[in-house]
Structure formats: structure tokens, C-alpha cells
Amino acid sequence: MLDIGTTSMRGILYDEKGSQLALARRENHLIFMGDSLIEENPTDWYDNTIEIIREIISVTGDPGFDAVAITSQRSSIIPVDQSGSPLSAAIMWQDTRNRAICKKLEEYNPMLYERTGAQVSTVFSGSKMTWIRQNEPEIYQHTYKFLNIPEYIVHKMCNVFVSDTTYASRSGLMDIRTCRWDPEILELYEVEEDKLCRLIEPSETAGFITEEFASLCGIRAGIPVIHCGGDQQCAAIGHGIIEKGPVSLTVGTGGFLAAVLDEMPDMMPSGVIINKASSENQYMMEANILSCGAAFDWCARELYGMEKNDYDFLNRELAKENFVSSPLVIPYFSGRGAPDWNPLAKAVFSGITTATRRSEIFKSIMESIFMEIANHLEHMSEVTEISRVYVGGGLTGSSVLNQLQADIYGRSVACVNNPEATALGALAVALRGLGKYKTTAEALHAVTHVSSTVYTPDSNLHSAYEIKRRKMNRLYEIISQGGGYESI
């Protein structure tokens, strides 16, 4: 199982019962270039993949894998030539160089939302392709395919250009109902269909390991490589979100909320995104905040001068503030996600005096992030009843932050104890694809029993946070309507 995240990737060897036999991890290296330009060298992922497989073999002494399954972050793009060689660095999902293009496309939002399940966004890969066409025409002309990260790795492994519908639903270019590239939208984005991958459903085999790749890694040629779907789709499955009611929240670099739908709604709901799910015959309702763990890391670095996060110390700092903090923060350190996709939005601090402590500023930032997530939960609850929030990801190692989430959401928060929920969700999808189990739900039940620690909200604190959340939303409205972020 290969799980490719934004700042790291890991390989995990499982047996078909879900027992973990070996794990290897490598870091990815983002390149920050200013003005929200964020890239990465594609060879990082390729080299890391080879190293991970070799390390797993060295630990187990057994190169006899039955299959390789892949899940990944979803919307970064790499233009490649016919041989699959990159023509430039990867443009990462957080990169907003395409914001002017998205601004021009906003007039088509009603049609795009109805057709694709999402409004135009700087995050989605389609407008990043448009940016290359308009700003780097020579690269566009020589581009044989635009690949996201898992598509690139699959090509390196199998010499095929294949994607699955979960990734395509994050491009802004796929009809969410037919699960096919939409010719009218492709024309709107100025992207030719022949520059895009062939689409399959998650759990299907994308290709088979080539002799060349096998010799590099020490595994046997001919084993199947399975597209399991995007990381958030798989994380939702790993959290046990395979029926309506519970919501999955992954708090990593960004914050991602997901709930499943058994069918497309007749009337598209406002304030959420509809993607294709990795579980069979389902859709995923999603919302996100673009800076979550990234904002936590910023606090550690800029407020506390840490080169490496000291989580025990930072948790003690948060625990000092056992009440609702006084400062009010708008948490858009990397722009605002759904519902209005504002790449120009920035973090704003207010209510700070000479009596304000550093720890209070820190807590107010984390409060604002979770209050923005509470906004998304409110939108989702208009579409489906939310019974509980299951949380996972890097920030859930803090009991202080988990309790803070429960108090802000006003709902029980269940912290999933298995840190590899994304990989386990992908494993369940892969086992279904290999025919080991008939359904994803059956496979998930076989490989894991989701256990969690439950945090119950304090009703008095929740009431206070609801007042503060309304103030935060009102402050954002005032800034947006009073000339917007362009004027400050």
C-alpha cells in the first residue's frame, strides 16, 4: 500500500486480514517560491517509491507482493511528454497562480456546480492546466498528458496513463453523474481531452508492474497496480464512513470533511463539494479548510521559534488557556476553501492588546480553524443528519485539541486510534478490487475494527464558541464587502 501525502509518503505491507507487516516512510520536499507559488520535483515521489519498496523488502525478506495499491493527495499536476518524463516541476494543490483564471470562470459557477459537483477553485487541477496553456505555451504544446501524482507513479510502474474517477472529480473537468470528461467544460477550460488519462473506477487494476520497474525495486514483474482513489476518500472509509450519518474529518496540512451520499441530490446543496467516493456506487460530500496543520506549524515556528515541533510543550501552552480566548482570528493562512473559494483571503488578527499572551494568540488561531470547520458542518447538516465526527490526522495526537473540537462543534468527536486510517481504507478498496471480498464494507469489517476515543462537548463552552463563530464570520463579511482583501 502506497499512501502519498503532501509532506510525506509511506508504504505499508499488509496481509489480506489487515495485519501490518512492514512500514517505510519518506519525506516530500515542497518548494515555496513566493506569491503562493508552490512546486515539487516529481522525481521526489518516484525516488521515494523505489526506496520505500526496497526498504519493505529488506525488512520482510520477501519480494512476493500480490499487488500494489495506491492512494494519494489529489489535485497537484505534472505535465509530461509521451515517455512520461516531466516537462516542469509539479504545481501543487495549494498553489494559487491560477487565481486570475478562476476569477474569470466564476460567472460559470452555477453550471459548473450542477455539472461537476463543485464551483471553480484554485485547488482543482483543471485551471492549473489552463494556466500552463496561457502562460507556458511551449510546455503545453509538448505535453502529452497532464498527470497528478498517483497517475505519474502508476505510469512509472506500469507504463500506462490511467486515472480513476475520484481524482477526475477533483479536476473540475468531469461530469459527476456520467463520470466522463465533459466536452463542453473542457472547451471552457481550453484543455484537450487527449491530454487527460483514461478513467477507471477505484478498485480497478490500472496496469501491471513492468520488468524495468521490477528490476529497480526487487519485486516481480506482472503484479497488478490498483487505483484506490484519493486520500480523503480512503480516509473516510478507514474511519468507517461507509453509510450516511457520521462525518470524517482529517486534520493534516489542511482540514478535510467528508460524508457519503448514496445518490446525487436532486437539488445541489450550497456550501459543499460533491466528489466521487472510493466505495462502490457512492458519492462523497466534502468541504475543506486549506490551512490546518500548516497553521499549527506556523505557530510553532513563528510564535515559539521552533525548528522542530515540540508537541508536549505546545499542548501545555494550549492547556494554559482553559477558557474561550479574547483575540478573534480569521484563519485563512492559505486562502479560503469552500463555500466561496477565495484565494486572496488571508489570516486576520483582531482584539489583541498589550495584555494578550502568546499562548492566547496560539489558542485563538486553533479556535478559528475549528470554527471554520464548524461552518462546514453546518452546511453539511442541511443535506444529511450528522451523528458524530470521526477525526484523524496529525493534529489529533493532542487531547487538548480534540476536546477543543468537541466544544466548538457541539458534537461528540471520536478520535480514531489507528493512525493509518487512510491506508486501511485503501486496503479495503484494493481487496474488493482483487476479489477477496464482495464489497468495500465487507472488506473494511474484515481488516479493521474502528476503535476511537470519544470527546464530549461542554455545552456552556459550545454556546460561547457559537457567539465567537458568528463574530468571526461577520468580520470576514465586513472585510470581503468593504473592498475585500485586495484593499488591505
Side-chain angles (χ1 to χ4, degrees):
M1 172 60 57
L2 194 63
D3 178 6
I4 307 172
T6 298
T7 58
S8 67
M9 56 189 288
R10 61 183 61 79
I12 305 175
L13 182 62
Y14 288 108
D15 64 21
E16 64 182 64
K17 295 182 179 179
S19 297
Q20 182 176 304
L21 306 179
L23 182 149
R25 177 188 173 98
R26 293 293 186 276
E27 298 297 319
N28 304 328
H29 304 288
L30 294 172
I31 304 168
F32 296 91
M33 303 160 58
D35 193 28
S36 297
L37 304 179
I38 306 174
E39 297 182 347
E40 185 159 345
N41 185 341
T43 59
D44 281 359
W45 298 299
Y46 181 47
D47 293 343
N48 284 346
T49 297
I50 293 172
E51 290 179 10
I52 283 169
I53 294 175
R54 286 175 175 170
E55 182 177 335
I56 287 175
I57 292 173
S58 72
V59 170
T60 63
D62 182 7
F65 303 161
D66 293 323
V68 175
I70 298 179
T71 183
S72 173
Q73 52 146 300
R74 301 169 292 178
S75 299
S76 306
I77 66 160
I78 310 163
V80 302
D81 63 18
Q82 195 162 358
S83 70
S85 297
L87 299 173
S88 74
I91 300 176
M92 300 302 290
W93 63 268
Q94 312 99 307
D95 187 292
T96 61
R97 70 185 70 188
N98 53 341
R99 54 189 178 269
I101 292 168
C102 292
K103 186 69 176 178
K104 290 180 180 178
L105 291 172
E106 283 180 358
E107 63 179 290
Y108 300 98
N109 269 337
M111 180 273 287
L112 291 172
Y113 189 37
E114 179 64 30
R115 196 84 63 84
T116 70
Q119 298 182 8
V120 64
S121 164
T122 58
V123 171
F124 297 154
S125 57
S127 57
K128 299 181 191 297
M129 302 175 198
T130 309
W131 185 91
I132 290 177
R133 177 170 188 148
Q134 294 181 2
N135 293 273
E136 296 180 339
E138 289 189 7
I139 289 179
Y140 186 89
Q141 181 182 353
H142 290 95
T143 295
Y144 181 70
K145 297 291 182 184
F146 284 108
L147 305 181
N148 61 25
I149 297 164
E151 294 159 8
Y152 174 68
I153 294 301
V154 164
H155 180 267
K156 286 292 189 181
M157 289 180 167
C158 308
N159 197 30
V160 295
F161 293 108
V162 177
S163 187
D164 77 44
T165 54
T166 68
Y167 298 111
S169 70
R170 295 286 296 185
S171 69
L173 305 177
M174 187 189 82
D175 187 312
I176 192 67
R177 292 175 175 81
T178 66
C179 293
R180 295 291 180 265
W181 301 119
D182 188 296
E184 184 179 350
I185 294 174
L186 289 173
E187 184 176 356
L188 180 65
Y189 278 79
E190 304 176 26
V191 175
E192 287 85 8
E193 185 173 345
D194 62 8
K195 292 186 183 293
L196 304 174
C197 289
R198 176 173 66 88
L199 296 179
I200 61 175
E201 289 299 308
S203 83
E204 292 185 12
T205 297
F208 300 89
I209 296 292
T210 64
E211 293 281 356
E212 179 183 3
F213 186 81
S215 65
L216 288 171
C217 299
I219 59 176
R220 61 185 174 88
I223 65 174
V225 176
I226 300 171
H227 267 308
C228 297
D231 55 358
Q232 301 309 318
Q233 279 88 346
C234 290
I237 293 171
H239 288 166
I241 313 300
I242 50 179
E243 59 184 15
K244 295 173 65 175
V247 170
S248 166
L249 170 59
T250 302
V251 281
T253 303
F256 295 89
L257 278 157
V260 297
L261 300 173
D262 293 328
E263 58 186 13
M264 286 292 293
D266 294 330
M267 294 292 293
M268 294 293 283
S270 63
V272 297
I273 304 163
I274 308 293
N275 291 324
K276 192 71 170 59
S278 284
S279 46
E280 59 272 31
N281 304 316
Q282 286 185 321
Y283 294 91
M284 191 171 85
M285 180 170 57
E286 182 177 331
N288 58 41
I289 178 169
L290 303 183
S291 287
C292 197
F296 183 92
D297 293 344
W298 180 88
C299 291
R301 185 177 63 251
E302 303 300 335
L303 292 181
Y304 292 95
M306 294 180 178
E307 293 185 5
K308 184 177 181 179
N309 291 358
D310 182 339
Y311 292 100
D312 289 338
F313 175 81
L314 293 171
N315 282 331
R316 290 195 298 271
E317 285 292 282
L318 289 168
K320 286 180 182 178
E321 309 299 330
N322 58 354
F323 49 84
V324 178
S325 68
S326 298
L328 185 62
V329 178
I330 296 177
Y332 308 135
F333 287 80
S334 302
R336 192 186 196 205
D340 68 355
W341 294 112
N342 185 355
L344 294 176
K346 297 178 177 63
V348 174
F349 294 76
S350 66
I352 295 174
T353 71
T354 54
T356 304
R357 298 173 301 280
R358 179 174 57 174
S359 56
E360 197 174 2
I361 295 174
F362 181 23
K363 186 179 182 184
S364 69
I365 291 171
M366 303 315 298
E367 287 173 339
S368 69
I369 289 169
F370 297 144
M371 287 190 294
E372 176 69 352
I373 291 172
N375 287 337
H376 295 320
L377 286 169
E378 186 173 67
H379 286 297
M380 285 185 163
S381 65
E382 296 172 2
V383 182
T384 186
E385 182 179 351
I386 297 174
S387 57
R388 177 175 285 181
V389 180
Y390 286 87
V391 297
L395 292 189
T396 58
S398 165
S399 60
V400 177
L401 289 178
N402 293 335
Q403 184 61 54
L404 181 61
Q405 289 185 78
D407 295 337
I408 290 174
Y409 306 154
R411 291 180 169 88
S412 293
V413 167
C415 179
V416 179
N417 292 328
N418 193 321
E420 303 298 345
T422 300
L424 280 170
L427 175 64
V429 175
L431 291 172
R432 172 170 65 91
L434 291 168
K436 303 292 185 181
Y437 301 95
K438 292 182 179 180
T439 66
T440 303
E442 182 183 334
L444 182 67
H445 180 75
V447 302
T448 182
H449 297 284
V450 178
S451 61
S452 56
T453 303
V454 178
Y455 296 82
T456 304
D458 180 307
S459 58
N460 292 327
L461 284 174
H462 175 63
S463 297
Y465 278 122
E466 282 293 276
I467 295 171
K468 187 169 187 178
R469 181 166 69 95
R470 287 194 291 271
K471 290 180 179 178
M472 182 186 79
N473 292 338
R474 179 57 182 155
L475 179 58
Y476 175 73
E477 290 175 5
I478 291 170
I479 293 173
S480 298
Q481 296 170 5
Y485 282 87
E486 293 175 334
S487 65
I488 61 174

